[in-house]
Amino acid sequence: MRQGVPADRLGPHLTGGARAARPDANRPRGHDAAARAAHERDALLATAVRKSLAVTDAYGGMVYLRSRDRKSLVLCTIAGVPLSIISAFRRVAAAGPLPAAVSYRSGRTITLADTEDTMRRFPQLAVGMPYDFASACVPVKAGEETYGVISVLWAASDEGVPDGARRHLRTVANRLGAGLAGLEEDGHLVEPNGDTAVVELTPPTEPTTRVGLFDWNVATGALSADDQFCEIFGLDPAEFDGRAATLTTRIAPGDLPELRAAARAALNEGRMLATRVRALDHQGHPYPVELWGRVPEGPNARTRLVGAVLDTRTGTAAAAAVERLRDGVFSLDPDGRITYANRSVELLLHARREDLIGHHPWDVLPWLSDPVYENRYRAAMLSQQPTAFLAARPPDGWLAFSLYPDAHGVTGRVVAAEPPAGVVETPAEPPPGARTSVGAMYHLLQLASALSEAVTVREVCRAVADQILPAFGGQELAIYAVRDKRLHLVSQTGYPEGFLDRFEGTPIGARVPGAEALSTGTPIFFESVHQLAATYPGIALDEMRAWAFLPLIASGHPVGSCIIGFDEAHPFTHEERGLLTALGGFIAQALERARLYDAEFALARGLQQALLPHRLPHLDGIRIAARYLPGTQGMEIGGDWYDAIITGRHLTLVIGDVEGHSVGAAATMGQLRSAVRAFAASGHRPDEVLARTNQLLLDLDPGLLASCCLVRLTPADGTARIARAGHLPPVLRHPDGRTEALYVAGGPLLGVDHRADYPVSELQLAKGSVLALYTDGLVEDPSVDIDLGVDRLCAALAHGIGAGDPADEALDRLAERLLREVGSTHRVDDVALLLTAFG
């Protein structure tokens, strides 16, 4: 300030106050250090968000930090995106399928070009945010430590993610990671405290209101003023002499008596409120300003006024211009609340401005309460593209709305419109009632999407834990299922070891909240420990402070109970109660379906296992290990099989795969396995075994094809004779560690040609060799060519079976390692593996 307006005279609301500036003497020093560290962390996050937007031209950005238990990512800082729109993603499971979680786990930058890319790669994000935008997620790391993720959004365009954005974001993320690591090295926690800071972005235009500060000694006429004050009154700040008399030359003469009267009244009453005078600009043209002031504390204060002058002429002129328009013009803040509406809006909406300002339009206008209208606003904010829609205003009007967004809010236009083609009558106004927000709907849709992909009971329980706990901030979750009129635990997350043992087998009519919620069909909510203890005296408690007990009922049939625990007192809002109640219905349906699936799956797998060998033969100098894994998706069983048959002085090794996944494929597999075993045991050569099996499959005509590889091994001299019918090549590990895929000659698939020949190739196995037969499920990966999968098997087999291990155990461990290292994590096909060690 010029001429030294004292900072303490401007009031604690401007300076923070002397009390706020001094540490509390009674407050522990550790608390102060933690508070300073939290402030420093928040400053780092805010700087990172602002920098991310500045260097990439993104319109919105967020920072997620890991939770203390490392199971969730918590939204800590956000800018340019309404927090209300992101409410469904304020907590996301660290192990979940969303881009932020994948970036956090993998340490990779995840970019999405548009809504189509999002739907294809991350459908659960598309369900919760079905809008058109481009995005990027970058992990925040320091060394081997990952603290969280920076996520930014761009308006939808053909460009998608701008060039260079990834590099700039990684630089920002690395700086943030280094800052957080520094705090952690000093012994401070960097994990979030549960609050989300909203960073205000600088408006794209200059503010329409200017504010100048002053300190006026009315008795002496001395006036201290800042540069803005001088400029508002047309004075040169460098030449202002600090006299009130000079100021009066810049005020319209007719307003001076009113100013002096207001100053005298302020000295008597202690304050001056909104005194309007006309200032003169450099050309002498008058324009209105407002003066606000108060009498400060201290000696001789009764002769002084400190305060501010407000120049609102630009905003006033703009508002006056908009008021003259016949079209309705309104403004929404980033969270969708009305901040301005002109006179025409009142006339068109049949609503008063005082009833509109500060509210969501869909909350105060029943005919806009359909979630589709709120969704239009959300679409405009997240796509940053204009949007338009028609709405029916009962009893007889139609209105056309246009929304023009930027990161600071939405400007709206509304005009009278003709009804849509084919519509004769205006819809009636909906009855009053509780309204489900779009955010709540997306919570339901997200869980429904996750549950639709969950097949088994275990997958359902994992989906519920991954979705519900992060979304609602819970720490414990237990799911009980009804069996023989008792509750049995099927899944729990976060509970102390053994705490739930006392509730196992509780009758569904027992006097405990989980059972009573199920027997009454009504959810039970406890917002504090006192409420629970008062309702159920003596009930066992752990460290939780609030609970939701949800009945799981599907088609009127009791399925079980879901219990959610919170580590702090939790007031359940009306919307949360309704949302959790609806989620209970989703969970019940999914759990009932999964229980049926598990039962049928166990039956189908039992059938398939019965068709495979129960034990493998034992021969001197020969060790055999086999593994069979069912596909990771789907209920139907496959047609993979393996066998080992002793025929005189020979050992016949067989691996095969009938196409398809069905009971028919399994039945055909059983027939082929029996046929191969019978033909081999009868002494037929390998080529004859395959030829006769091919003829049998053609005669059976099941409409299925099959591949097969047969190896007849003579242990006495190590001779191996190999015949293939469209099957992948065996892989051989030599004693010196070299591996190779044996691409020997072969014939077509079984079931193709009556006249097919299956040539036999002969080779000699040295002692210490390992031969691997396998089905394609082991080496197939949708992202790579199958030959690369075979190469991967060769590389894994080259590591051998370890020196000094017991022979049989070593081969078993090798089989497990091959399944782990070679198999795809997204495997959908069955896998059969047969390892044979010679010598």
Side-chain angles (χ1 to χ4, degrees), residues 330 332 349 361-362 365 367-380 385-393 398-404 410-418 420:
F330 60 91
L332 305 178
L349 302 188
W362 44 84
L365 300 171
W367 47 274
L368 283 180
S369 63
D370 190 317
V372 69
Y373 301 122
E374 180 185 350
N375 202 50
R376 292 285 189 164
Y377 143 77
R378 288 170 167 258
Q385 298 293 330
T387 186
F389 60 91
L390 284 175
R393 184 208 60 211
W398 284 87
L399 300 175
F401 288 83
S402 302
L403 304 179
Y404 303 91
V410 173
T411 296
R413 174 176 174 267
V414 56
V415 297
E418 296 295 324

Side-chain angles (χ1 to χ4, degrees), residues 535-598:
T535 307
Y536 296 93
I539 192 170
L541 298 172
D542 58 2
E543 297 300 318
M544 295 299 103
R545 294 292 178 265
W547 296 265
F549 295 88
L550 308 177
L552 305 182
I553 300 174
S555 303
H557 173 66
V559 175
S561 290
C562 178
I563 305 167
I564 307 171
F566 302 82
D567 61 0
E568 295 180 356
H570 187 95
F572 294 94
T573 65
H574 177 79
E575 182 173 275
E576 275 186 319
R577 291 172 183 252
L579 184 56
L580 285 168
T581 301
L583 292 176
F586 278 131
I587 297 168
Q589 294 285 353
L591 191 61
E592 186 72 351
R593 183 189 70 239
R595 289 170 63 182
L596 178 61
Y597 172 93
D598 283 351

Side-chain angles (χ1 to χ4, degrees), residues 57 59 80 82 85 113-115 130-134 153-160 332 373-389 401-412:
D57 292 326
Y59 72 81
I85 293 183
D114 50 30
T115 185
Y131 311 112
D132 197 13
F133 57 86
L153 308 177
W154 291 271
S157 69
D158 294 338
E159 182 183 6
L332 305 178
Y373 301 122
E374 180 185 350
N375 202 50
R376 292 285 189 164
Y377 143 77
R378 288 170 167 258
M381 286 301 297
L382 283 180
S383 69
Q384 289 292 293
Q385 298 293 330
T387 186
F389 60 91
F401 288 83
S402 302
L403 304 179
Y404 303 91
D406 70 7
H408 305 276
V410 173
T411 296

